[in-house]
């Protein structure tokens, strides 16, 4: 090692010390936070930012920049200190950590220009990193993706889901660093500092694994170089570290997770210890190496989307909305190169296989790993793609924590869940999506769409694609007839009034498969001389408040909702929410118990959402009319 | 191998052939199902049932029986055929598969006496199996637990979460068999038949891994024996198999997943091929070896729970409900040996550490692996324990698919989520549970409890423990004053009317932290001469319909709900659901956007659920009164 190297290493050492000092000071000022989790990774982050990553620190969003994901989001103060050190903002701002007026939140969120995806739910960063690495391939960029994860969070299964996908995709532009500080929140991790056991796991999953002392900057530099030169597979750097490193009284001690140093004597003692660790370098302790600029190929601006052809169905044609979803997605993929699809080994059921056939280079198979699928979609979306991850609606429950974080990050992830409700029939309750509307509707940034026919499916898919933020499209297994003309539009927040007259006695609000039951009920009621209004609420969230409130008022103050979903959290609640302040009465039909196997029609009837139940409910409303 | 062995193997071979025939016949009769996935595992199941497992086939629930979990639940026809072959029910019943009147559903559910936990969402069986194996240790039983998983489902991260926990717990009473048929639903699996790659993964996770030909019965027998003799760690048997084995035209072919043979020529051809595979044994093709009876130690009946002491708090005492939860759980553990606690490395935040300190032998650490935690709780519950898995409310989203399956199985899993809502403060949105009420309330068998003080927390915890079925308890991070006397009771489905007068102009329904905001608002309104009713809806589901409807009617038809939760799916919806048919007007205060870091009080106010917002909303209702 020549003199320059010695200087570089000493300089990086001083930067790491500064990052530690800033992490301690900001968390003590905030009165909460995780300084010990910052201290273990200080050399890793200093080396990455100032000796390995290529990026423009003044333009964190620059497409050619290498990406850094802090999966162990509780080490946020370290991340913030690194960007301050890189010159993006003033170091003094670090002391606003966790204040309500500051974007330097307790865990990183995309309110900050240098955070692509919110972290703080452990085990998600690697999944997101896989998406970013896939995106580099999609746009033909050389940028590399670095993800810093904790050893504790490696217990999350999502880490291993994405480890498999990354190896399968041969993502040599992805480098994961594990900060192996051997301590979780409440106790030692399962593997402690058994570095070889950890390496065996990663190698078992097909990764190039390097074991290194995470406080040895020269070794870290060599490891990153090895990672860069490794082709055909991703690299994991297993960095053996000490939690609380640099502060003698917290180093390697349990009980210091998520605990700042107390203001006053304790903080001063810690800071004094850290201060003593600076070494002399030419230029002084604030000297910083020049950050390596992005040097990858300039990436062409993404091709503007071409207009998509309108749907091409005929009225009455029998098409499952899940199949119309696949057809529409393949079409959209042709018109817009940003559109990508992700599967979890059910592409032949969700019909995302149609996209795969048309655009194999933008189709990402995650095998049976829904967390990895949604996480990769988050990473792709954060870098400009418009990803459509799809599986059975019920299995999106597997990825709810990822969906939650995608909603927090307001990412352009367009989720699709097929096989909604009891109408799937014989496969039984484990395969029925019956809580998907509830879980999606709860997320404030989420748009929820539930088309009933092929035309509306194609239309809402395009609406979802170009709506800013996350969206969910719910589709049905059985075939349903096309009821809308190809020219019909389905804006987000709208609904379709399918039947109406001045003498309507009640409003039936349906969506998806129950639209057909409502129309059958309408016919039956009509034969008995009873008029009702029928609304297709294809936009469950936002729901068409104006039209539904007006309909409720115009039909005697009665609304009946009908949904192939559990009664809690779905369409009935969505309608109740908007008419609640009006005193309009809402009765709801939905699934009220655990369903079972059977034929679709049998189940719709047995679980209370068929046309005959709607007729009966309308008759019941009639009997009640006038009662308080 | 002596003559007897040859006869045993031939006999098992014939049983496997019979299982294949039954799987083909039942799925063809049903017109749907997964015969190819049954065929690959026929020898594994035949050998397990008739040469390895010790159980009483007439009493599947017998506590000393070995347990079998079919994690690849789509192979249900094989499971059903095995129990028919074991003599539990008539083979002719198999032809009712998937009919609405039959309990032989598309995927196994506990409607069947021999199914402990519903399967069909892949990757859950091993987690459940870990719980069953832990339960054997808890009750001092020798029973062993066998879990059959698919190679495709091994992509689910939950498999690796539980692999880690099982090795850490040294569960040598657990044996996982992987049916490596190399084909998923839509394509080949990532690893195909690379058995050594798979073995490396399992060995990396600390398991004893055996690679075997899954159609070689003698080899399977030896593998099970090896597993039985392995101590200190669990065993995985990686069985190389052919999907569709035994039927030449589907063997190893993609495109045959979830596809029955067509009735008529196709079925006949398949059955003829299988029929030709029977071999001559003394006694004929229906000969079966005697099933090995349970031989483990007789387990003493579980000790009856002793009465639990009432809560011992003083009015006004400041106690966080999360801490009261830990205190109550430790107490309950003392009075009832069936009570166990499971953690995901946050026991010092959820205060389940109090249970750990008191009952370390019944505390199961899952590290940062929520799916494993809830899955193990499901297995424990299915065998008589009363498990309390707990973590931050937001991280239960990680296990929502498991919670869904626990609800389908109506298991006695008592979930607890701490750190609910924006009131956690500085950690920011990633750590705030804001959709937990929505996701729990959607599940029809779930009870949802949300106490506001230490006394009600202790009371509802005991109620939850002895309520049949899954329950969820939501707790709060900051300290709140005790407002209830220790004698007060909190039955499921009740509520507490905290303030009332004949002149009440509106009803405020609150729960948890917002009860205190509602009480502050009450005082402020009182000072302005406005009387309101205040209700603590500690039982969010079932909600006290009678009391809340009556209150609504008595207070001018106006209800205001206030919750530290997103507005969709929570308390507002729960109240709307029960008053919807009455025309009572409901206004809701809740979180309507992604929150951020800040102090608890700042956040309650900024996001619209503080006392001042309640006062303002009541004034708003007043202005509206009389309007339509």
């Amino acid at each position: 090692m020549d003199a320059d190297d010695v200087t570089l290493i000493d300089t990086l050492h001083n930067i790491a010390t500064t990052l530690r000092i800033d992490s301690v000071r900001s968390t003590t000022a905030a009165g909460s936070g995780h300084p010990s989790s910052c201290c273990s990774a200080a050399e890793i982050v200093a080396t990455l930012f100032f000796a390995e990553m290529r990026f423009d620190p003044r333009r964190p969003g620059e497409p050619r920049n290498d990406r850094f994901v802090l999966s162990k989001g509780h080490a946020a103060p370290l991340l913030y200190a690194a960007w301050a050190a890189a010159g993006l903002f003033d170091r003094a701002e670090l002391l606003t950590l966790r204040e309500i007026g500051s974007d330097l939140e307790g865990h990183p969120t995309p309110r900050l220009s240098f955070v692509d995806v919110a972290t703080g739910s452990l085990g998600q960063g690697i999944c997101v990193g896989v998406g970013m690495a896939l995106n580099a391939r999609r746009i033909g960029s050389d940028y590399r993706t670095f993800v810093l994860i904790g050893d504790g969070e490696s217990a999350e299964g999502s880490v291993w889901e994405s480890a498999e996908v990354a190896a399968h995709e041969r993502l040599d532009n992805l480098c994961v660093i594990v900060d192996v500080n051997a301590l979780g929140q409440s106790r030692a991790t399962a593997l402690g500092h058994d570095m070889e056991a950890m390496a065996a796991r990663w190698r078992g999953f097909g990764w190039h694994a390097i074991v290194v002392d995470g406080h040895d900057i020269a070794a870290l530099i060599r490891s990153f170089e090895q990672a860069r030169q490794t082709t055909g597979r991703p690299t994991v750097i297993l960095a053996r570290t000490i939690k609380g490193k640099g502060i003698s009284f917290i180093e390697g001690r349990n009980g210091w997770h998520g605990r700042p140093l107390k203001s006053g004597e304790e903080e001063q003692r810690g800071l004094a210890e850290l201060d003593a660790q600076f070494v002399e370098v030419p230029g002084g302790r604030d000297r910083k190496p020049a950050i390596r600029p992005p040097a990858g190929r300039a990436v062409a601006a993404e091709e503007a989307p071409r207009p998509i052809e309108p749907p091409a169905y005929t009225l009455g044609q029998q098409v499952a909305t899940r199949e119309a979803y696949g057809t529409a997605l393949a079409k959209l993929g042709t018109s817009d190169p940003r559109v990508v699809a992700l599967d979890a080994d059910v592409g032949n059921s969700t019909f995302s296989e149609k996209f795969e056939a048309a655009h194999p280079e933008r189709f990402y198979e995650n095998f049976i790993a829904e967390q990895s699928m949604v996480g990769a979609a988050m990473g792709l979306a954060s870098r400009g793609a418009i990803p459509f991850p799809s599986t059975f609606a019920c299995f999106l429950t597997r990825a709810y924590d990822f969906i939650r974080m995608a909603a927090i990050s307001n990412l352009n992830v367009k989720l699709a869940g097929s096989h909604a409700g009891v109408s799937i029939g014989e496969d039984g309750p484990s395969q029925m999506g019956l809580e998907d509307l509830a879980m999606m509707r709860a997320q404030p940034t989420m748009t929820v769409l539930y088309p009933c026919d092929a035309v509306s499916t194609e239309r809402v898919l395009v609406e979802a694609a170009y709506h800013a933020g996350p969206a969910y499209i719910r589709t049905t297994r059985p075939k349903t007839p096309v009821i809308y003309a190809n020219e019909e539009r389905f804006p987000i927040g709208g609904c379709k009034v399918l039947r109406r007259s001045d003498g309507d006695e009640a409003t039936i609000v349906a969506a998806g498969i129950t639209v057909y039951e409502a129309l059958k009920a309408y016919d039956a009621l009509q034969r008995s001389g009873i008029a009702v209004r029928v609304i297709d609420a294809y936009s469950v969230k936002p729901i068409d408040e104006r039209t539904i409130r007006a309909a409720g008022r115009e039909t005697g103050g009665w609304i009946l909702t009908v949904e192939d979903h559990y009664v809690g959290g779905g369409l009935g609640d969505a309608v109740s929410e908007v008419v609640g302040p009006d005193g309009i009465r809402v009765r709801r039909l939905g699934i009220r118990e655990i369903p079972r196997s059977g034929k679709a029609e049998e189940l719709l009837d047995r679980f209370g959402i068929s046309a005959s139940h709607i007729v009966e409910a309308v008759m019941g409303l009639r009997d009640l009319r006038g009662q308080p």
Side-chain angles (χ1 to χ4, degrees), chain A:
Chain A
M1 197 177 285
D2 64 22
D4 273 2
D5 286 333
V6 172
T7 304
L8 173 64
I9 288 162
D10 284 349
T11 304
L12 292 172
H13 168 84
N14 284 349
I15 294 173
T17 299
T18 300
L19 299 182
R20 286 193 174 99
I21 288 171
D22 287 345
S23 301
V24 166
R25 292 180 65 219
S26 58
T27 51
T28 296
S32 63
H34 302 75
S36 65
S37 303
C38 296
C39 287
S40 59
E43 282 82 8
I44 296 167
V45 168
T47 306
L48 261 174
F49 273 62
F50 290 92
E52 173 60 23
M53 281 168 55
R54 311 198 69 126
F55 67 110
D56 179 344
R58 299 281 172 175
R59 296 167 61 221
E62 156 64 39
R64 292 180 308 150
N65 279 2
D66 286 349
R67 313 311 308 171
F68 175 69
V69 181
L70 181 73
S71 187
K72 47 175 285 182
H74 52 287
L78 177 68
L79 177 72
Y80 304 158
W83 280 96
L88 182 64
F89 59 89
D90 199 279
R91 206 178 151 195
E93 270 190 53
L94 295 172
L95 293 177
T96 67
L97 180 72
R98 291 172 166 247
E99 289 178 5
I100 195 164
S102 171
D103 287 341
L104 300 174
E105 297 195 73
H107 294 74
T109 70
R111 293 187 209 274
L112 295 162
S113 61
F114 54 88
V115 175
D116 293 315
V117 175
T119 55
S121 182
L122 295 171
Q124 298 198 7
I126 177 174
C127 312
V128 165
V130 166
M132 292 174 174
L134 289 171
N135 189 68
R137 185 181 291 174
R138 178 183 74 85
I139 63 171
S141 169
D142 296 324
Y143 78 74
R144 293 175 57 73
T145 300
F146 297 88
V147 183
L148 177 60
I149 75 176
D151 52 345
E153 77 174 291
S154 305
E156 288 287 9
S158 53
V159 170
W160 305 102
E161 292 183 10
S162 284
E164 167 148 298
V165 172
H168 186 78
E169 293 279 358
R170 305 168 58 84
L171 294 178
D172 48 22
N173 57 354
L174 176 66
C175 176
V176 166
I177 309 98
V178 187
D179 175 11
V180 186
N181 64 30
L183 290 173
Q185 171 175 324
S186 69
R187 68 199 69 223
T189 58
L191 290 183
H193 270 135
D194 187 344
M195 306 305 291
E196 282 313 311
M198 266 168 257
R201 289 188 183 179
W202 286 93
R203 288 176 190 136
F205 275 78
W207 285 53
H208 175 218
I210 304 169
V211 174
V212 70
D213 175 347
H215 303 303
D216 179 341
I217 289 168
L220 285 168
I221 290 174
R222 286 193 301 273
S223 301
F224 287 125
E225 190 174 340
Q226 260 195 52
R228 216 183 316 123
Q229 286 164 358
T230 300
T231 55
R233 57 191 172 143
T235 293
V236 61
I237 297 173
L238 297 159
R240 188 189 198 285
T241 63
I242 310 287
K243 197 159 176 173
K245 173 76 176 178
I247 305 168
S248 62
F249 51 97
I250 69 172
E251 269 191 6
R253 300 214 185 164
N254 205 1
W256 273 94
H257 182 94
R259 188 172 146 195
L261 274 65
K262 283 194 203 75
S263 184
E265 196 271 332
E266 189 171 87
E267 183 192 16
Q268 290 317 314
R269 203 176 130 213
L271 290 177
E273 286 191 14
L274 289 169
D275 197 71
Q277 291 163 31
F278 282 107
V279 294
E280 293 283 332
V281 289
R285 56 169 64 172
D286 288 336
R287 173 190 172 126
K288 295 194 185 71
I291 287 174
R292 290 151 40 101
R297 279 171 274 169
V299 176
E302 301 221 37
E303 217 179 314
R306 290 189 296 277
I308 181 169
E309 294 290 312
Y313 294 100
T314 53
L315 287 173
Q317 190 182 349
Q318 292 281 338
V319 188
T321 53
R322 62 182 167 125
E323 182 160 7
Y325 166 82
T327 303
L329 189 59
K331 267 175 80 172
L332 187 64
T334 303
S335 75
D336 193 333
R338 295 170 302 174
V339 172
V340 303
L342 298 96
D343 177 37
D345 193 24
V346 288
N348 49 350
S349 288
T350 61
F351 285 98
S352 68
E353 65 178 11
K354 291 182 182 235
F355 185 96
E356 181 181 17
H359 313 288
E361 76 291 355
R362 281 183 272 144
F363 178 87
Y364 308 113
E365 181 56 69
N366 284 266
F367 303 96
I368 307 175
E370 295 78 12
Q371 297 184 92
S372 169
M373 175 179 72
V374 177
M378 291 161 70
L380 279 152
S382 77
R383 302 313 305 146
I386 305 176
F388 282 78
S390 58
T391 181
F392 284 30
C394 61
F395 300 134
L396 285 174
T397 57
R398 199 62 159 259
Y400 193 31
D401 196 22
F402 286 72
I403 294 167
R404 179 177 78 88
M405 296 298 285
I408 287 175
S409 302
N410 199 31
L411 290 168
N412 259 338
V413 172
K414 315 303 175 181
L415 299 143
S418 67
H419 293 70
V422 300
S423 69
I424 70 159
E426 292 83 352
D427 272 344
S430 65
Q431 317 295 301
M432 295 169 175
L434 286 161
E435 54 285 283
D436 53 321
L437 294 179
M439 73 175 185
M440 298 298 181
R441 186 174 152 261
Q443 298 300 328
T445 54
M446 183 73 67
T447 295
V448 181
L449 303 166
Y450 183 16
C452 71
D453 81 342
V455 169
S456 51
T457 301
E458 184 159 325
R459 291 291 189 185
V460 301
L461 182 141
V462 178
E463 293 279 341
Y466 297 114
H467 169 79
Y472 173 60
I473 301 169
R474 184 184 216 222
T475 65
T476 301
R477 181 181 171 277
K479 292 181 186 208
T480 48
V482 171
I483 59 170
Y484 292 113
N486 287 316
E487 299 68 40
E488 194 86 27
R489 296 291 176 150
F490 292 82
I492 289 171
C495 71
K496 295 292 172 188
V497 181
L498 296 177
R499 299 288 186 273
R500 69 170 296 158
S501 76
D502 289 345
D504 292 342
E505 298 186 22
T507 297
I508 302 170
V509 180
I513 191 89
T514 61
V515 167
Y516 301 92
E517 299 301 316
L519 291 175
K520 277 186 257 173
Y522 172 90
D523 291 341
L525 289 163
Q526 191 80 348
R527 287 191 292 274
S528 306
I530 301 168
V532 290
R533 193 157 301 181
V534 177
I535 290 179
D536 171 6
Y538 66 83
S539 178
V540 175
K541 183 180 177 209
I543 198 157
D544 188 342
E545 177 170 347
R546 197 182 52 80
T547 305
I548 290 174
R549 289 176 76 174
R553 282 195 299 268
E554 290 163 20
T555 61
W558 281 100
I559 293 180
L560 178 71
T561 62
V562 198
E563 61 193 309
D564 194 358
H565 184 274
Y566 289 137
V567 285
L571 184 63
D573 278 347
V575 168
S576 293
E577 184 181 353
V578 292
V579 305
D582 288 340
I584 290 169
R585 290 162 166 80
V586 180
R587 290 244 156 170
R588 53 182 80 188
L589 300 183
I591 312 300
R592 294 183 180 274
E593 60 183 302
I594 304 295
R596 58 189 302 142
S597 291
K599 292 190 178 35
E601 322 78 75
E602 289 172 342
L603 298 177
L604 291 173
D605 198 54
R606 169 135 175 187
F607 294 102
I609 57 172
S610 63
S612 65
H613 286 276
I614 298 173
V615 168
E616 197 183 311
V618 169
M619 300 305 243
L621 297 184
R622 245 187 158 206
D623 293 344
L624 284 173
R625 194 167 298 270
Q627 294 183 18

